[in-house]
Amino acid sequence: MVAATIAAIIASFVMVLVGSALSSEQPHLQMIRVSFPPPPSSAGGTYLDAAVAVNNAGTATAKGCYAKAFNHLLFSEDIDESTELGSSEQFDLSPHGGLVPSVSVRLADLSGEALLGGGVRAPVFFRVECENAESSEESMTVKVSGPASGSATA
């Protein structure tokens, strides 16, 4: 009788563990880095391409994903999510897979500190959002400069 009760308790405990393991199968996005390849001459100084390396360390496919750029407000920890500076093409990311989508950041929409001689230097916040996951803990803020003359640097 005692053995049957202990077996029932153990069986219940195993079922709870298996159920929670199955429900925890979800994507886990990790932003690895943000880099800025040289801009093409066709950009005309209106945008700057950013390569956003992202990894899915989870056990489920991340679906309907976009890498996005937002203004990071100066002298604040706040992100201006009402002003999206750019977004990648939509992509899916398989479990334990990686990708480097490109985000075109519109320089005209940067809000930051004015530079001597014109232009602006601003922190830009990058995040990957998916239908079933978000990289909020793994997001990155990068300083970007956009001189008034039309060229841009990072």
Side-chain angles (χ1 to χ4, degrees):
M1 176 97 161
V2 172
T5 304
I6 292 173
I9 292 171
I10 291 173
S12 297
F13 182 70
V14 168
M15 292 303 288
V16 168
L17 286 178
V18 169
S20 66
L22 290 176
S23 67
S24 69
E25 287 190 19
Q26 59 186 359
H28 178 74
L29 302 177
Q30 300 170 319
M31 287 185 63
I32 309 300
R33 73 175 183 282
V34 176
S35 59
F36 296 91
S41 58
S42 62
T46 58
Y47 68 89
L48 179 66
D49 280 337
V52 180
V54 63
N55 181 46
N56 179 3
T59 56
T61 299
K63 297 180 181 180
C65 301
Y66 295 91
K68 295 184 176 185
F70 300 93
N71 273 316
H72 188 287
L73 302 176
L74 285 178
F75 313 113
S76 171
E77 294 296 316
D78 295 333
I79 307 304
D80 180 8
E81 296 191 45
S82 66
T83 307
E84 184 179 296
L85 298 175
S87 179
S88 70
E89 297 290 325
Q90 184 176 355
F91 61 92
D92 291 344
L93 197 54
S94 63
H96 307 291
L99 188 68
V100 184
S102 178
V103 177
S104 292
V105 177
R106 288 182 301 280
L107 297 175
D109 294 336
L110 287 178
S111 66
E113 61 182 319
L115 297 175
L116 186 61
V120 67
R121 178 174 46 220
V124 176
F125 178 78
F126 290 89
R127 174 175 63 215
V128 177
E129 300 174 355
C130 302
E131 293 172 3
N132 59 342
E134 185 176 306
S135 68
S136 58
E137 297 104 31
E138 300 290 336
S139 303
M140 292 185 179
T141 300
V142 179
K143 290 261 187 205
V144 174
S145 297
S149 64
S151 61
T153 60

